[in-house]
Amino acid sequence: MQTRLDLLTRSLPEFGQDRGQSVQVPVTGTSDNSFGKTLTRVINEVSDTRDNAGDLTQRFANGENVELHQVMAASEEAGIALDMLIELRNKVVEAYRSVISMQS
């Protein structure tokens, strides 16, 4: 059985590939690989996933030709994506607090 993290990391191309090498992501800059742009892209993908699940749920409720398993899968995917985003936020806050406490 796959865990929620396995399912989520498989859906994100940066995490799902076994490259055997690390990739450095610049913190600042205008390149497509900057941390800010990556974070913005991930947040937008989570939002799109949530919107897709809501759309499928609404279409199912209206009696359109949408299967229940599609609605459930989309809802679960949106939940997993949101859980990962919340954990990412928690880790960033934890790292920030760690850096601030080192300065004291």
Side-chain angles (χ1 to χ4, degrees), residues 10-38:
R10 190 180 70 209
S11 68
L12 296 173
E14 292 83 16
F15 298 112
Q17 298 175 359
D18 293 327
R19 293 184 215 137
Q21 61 186 10
S22 63
V23 176
Q24 292 183 341
V25 178
V27 176
T28 60
T30 58
S31 72
D32 289 337
N33 293 330
S34 71
F35 180 75
K37 286 190 178 188
T38 302

Side-chain angles (χ1 to χ4, degrees), residues 10 12 14 16-17 20 27 44-45 58 66 70 86-88 92:
R10 190 180 70 209
L12 296 173
E14 292 83 16
Q17 298 175 359
V27 176
N44 288 335
E45 287 177 5
Q58 186 66 37
V66 177
Q70 291 174 321
I86 290 169
E87 287 300 318
L88 178 65
V92 168

Side-chain angles (χ1 to χ4, degrees), residues 9 11 19 40 53 59 62 64 74-75 81-82 86 91:
T9 55
S11 68
R19 293 184 215 137
T40 301
R59 288 175 45 204
N62 289 337
E64 293 181 28
S75 297
L82 183 61
I86 290 169
K91 291 295 183 182

Side-chain angles (χ1 to χ4, degrees), residues 33-98:
N33 293 330
S34 71
F35 180 75
K37 286 190 178 188
T38 302
L39 185 60
T40 301
R41 184 179 49 78
V42 168
I43 290 171
N44 288 335
E45 287 177 5
V46 170
S47 179
D48 292 344
T49 304
R50 185 187 58 89
D51 292 343
N52 181 41
D55 180 52
L56 282 175
T57 303
Q58 186 66 37
R59 288 175 45 204
F60 180 77
N62 289 337
E64 293 181 28
N65 189 18
V66 177
E67 298 289 332
L68 179 61
H69 69 275
Q70 291 174 321
V71 175
M72 296 304 295
S75 297
E76 188 64 24
E77 183 180 347
I80 291 170
L82 183 61
D83 288 346
M84 190 188 114
L85 189 61
I86 290 169
E87 287 300 318
L88 178 65
R89 180 208 57 190
N90 292 343
K91 291 295 183 182
V92 168
V93 168
E94 181 182 327
Y96 174 76
R97 288 181 179 157
S98 208

